[in-house]
Amino acid sequence: DVSRHSCSKHIIHFLSFFAETKAVSATYGSNERWLRTEALMELIARPDSKLQLAALQCILTWKEPFVRHYRESLTRLIDEKTFRDELALFSWEKVDPSHRRGFLPVLIRVLYGKMQLRKGSGSGKNSLALRRSAVLTFLAQLEPSELGYFFELVMGPFRTGSAPENKQKGFINLLGDMVYHFGVRCEPYLLQIVELLTLILRQGMSTDIRSPTLSLFVKLLVAYPEYEGFGNAVHEILELHSHQIEMLPVEGIYSISGLLSMVVALSKSP
């Protein structure tokens, strides 16, 4: 998109000027600095390597040790030429425990942007899936509590239920990959996941959305049979699909629907 590319170029030029300004921190109060932090943290999560790097250069002007000490690693993760190598070679042992709280939000946003980037001749679905898998495998090394920032980054935009259908589908696919790669680390976020899945089903979207959403819900039922937070969601989903329940015996002859799979999973739960 030409207009988007032009806008990105202007932002990058502005950020470059901003990064070169000396004593930036001293010229702003705490409120202004917080606003600038929010803006830069949003930009560093964009699927645009040049924009990410420009945002990082601005963040580095604050000389915070939790970012400055990992400048080289963050830069290599942003650079497409060194991204995969740095992801494989990055050592968590070199991260000072006192830096993790400040460092992880920056790192996670950089990786979130890289995970969405489509670039080059291998920019098809397979390439995007491999990149996503590599990032999620890397993040699976974090503690469950540290993954909260990533879950919020992914799920936040969908809490209003106003996202278009193509975005909903991509979100469900990503959420399914997160559940697969993070495993038991997802448990603290199960209620949030279930509430979002129910919200999507409540909107009555097409089969292309409902089917993978129900499928993911069933996977959660099977993976966490002891979890007590499914009750309200199960009740609402059954009510939403009440008109289809009486057709299950007939539909089951030809294929196993997501709704039938859910009923089977419920019958096996404690």
Side-chain angles (χ1 to χ4, degrees):
D1 186 280
V2 176
S3 60
R4 181 177 297 180
H5 178 69
S6 177
C7 182
S8 294
K9 285 182 65 176
H10 285 302
I11 294 174
I12 290 169
H13 285 316
F14 171 76
L15 293 177
S16 298
F17 169 77
F18 187 77
E20 293 172 2
T21 303
K22 295 182 179 180
V24 157
S25 297
T27 63
Y28 291 90
S30 59
N31 290 336
E32 288 82 359
R33 180 172 175 179
W34 172 252
L35 290 173
R36 289 183 294 117
T37 301
E38 289 290 288
L40 291 174
M41 291 292 274
E42 180 181 341
L43 291 173
I44 207 170
R46 298 282 183 86
D48 181 326
S49 298
K50 292 181 179 179
L51 195 55
Q52 284 188 309
L53 184 59
L56 176 62
Q57 296 302 325
C58 288
I59 292 173
L60 288 168
T61 62
W62 302 335
K63 303 186 185 302
E64 297 284 3
F66 59 75
V67 178
R68 182 164 49 86
H69 288 184
Y70 313 101
R71 175 176 187 160
E72 183 179 354
S73 290
L74 289 170
T75 302
R76 284 173 57 82
L77 286 171
I78 289 174
D79 190 337
E80 279 297 295
K81 296 177 182 178
T82 53
F83 165 69
R84 289 191 178 276
D85 287 341
E86 184 61 28
L87 203 63
L89 297 173
F90 186 90
S91 174
W92 288 104
E93 294 180 357
K94 294 182 179 180
V95 180
D96 188 318
S98 66
H99 292 167
R100 290 178 76 100
R101 184 177 180 182
F103 172 61
L104 286 177
V106 179
L107 173 67
I108 286 173
R109 281 188 169 270
V110 166
L111 293 177
Y112 180 74
K114 304 305 288 184
M115 192 172 64
Q116 301 177 84
L117 183 63
R118 298 174 183 267
K119 187 172 182 179
S121 58
S123 59
K125 290 184 179 179
N126 289 338
S127 177
L128 191 64
L130 288 173
R131 180 186 288 262
R132 176 184 290 182
S133 178
V135 169
L136 294 179
T137 299
F138 177 83
L139 292 176
Q141 300 175 70
L142 298 177
E143 294 296 322
S145 59
E146 294 175 327
L147 285 170
Y149 195 86
F150 185 71
F151 272 94
E152 181 58 33
L153 197 59
V154 171
M155 298 193 295
F158 295 90
R159 295 190 192 283
T160 61
S162 58
E165 195 163 303
N166 64 321
K167 295 285 187 181
Q168 296 274 21
K169 189 172 183 179
F171 167 68
I172 293 299
N173 290 337
L174 173 55
L175 204 53
D177 287 343
M178 289 165 61
V179 169
Y180 173 77
H181 283 87
F182 295 161
V184 295
R185 288 175 172 80
C186 290
E187 193 161 358
Y189 312 102
L190 276 179
L191 182 59
Q192 298 176 50
I193 295 172
V194 168
E195 288 177 346
L196 270 179
L197 295 181
T198 308
L199 174 62
I200 291 172
L201 290 171
R202 193 184 301 142
Q203 293 171 347
M205 291 191 168
S206 69
T207 304
D208 287 343
I209 302 297
R210 289 199 308 271
S211 181
T213 303
L214 272 175
S215 177
L216 179 54
F217 187 77
V218 171
K219 288 178 182 177
L220 294 175
L221 284 173
V222 173
Y224 300 94
E226 304 292 334
Y227 181 65
E228 298 180 353
F230 290 124
N232 291 336
V234 167
H235 179 73
E236 183 168 352
I237 291 172
L238 290 176
E239 279 200 347
L240 288 170
H241 297 83
S242 59
H243 61 289
Q244 297 177 19
I245 293 178
E246 61 185 35
M247 297 298 295
L248 287 179
V250 178
E251 292 181 354
I253 296 175
Y254 304 101
S255 64
I256 299 178
S257 66
L259 187 60
L260 180 57
S261 296
M262 188 182 83
V263 172
V264 172
L266 289 170
S267 70
K268 295 179 180 179
S269 62

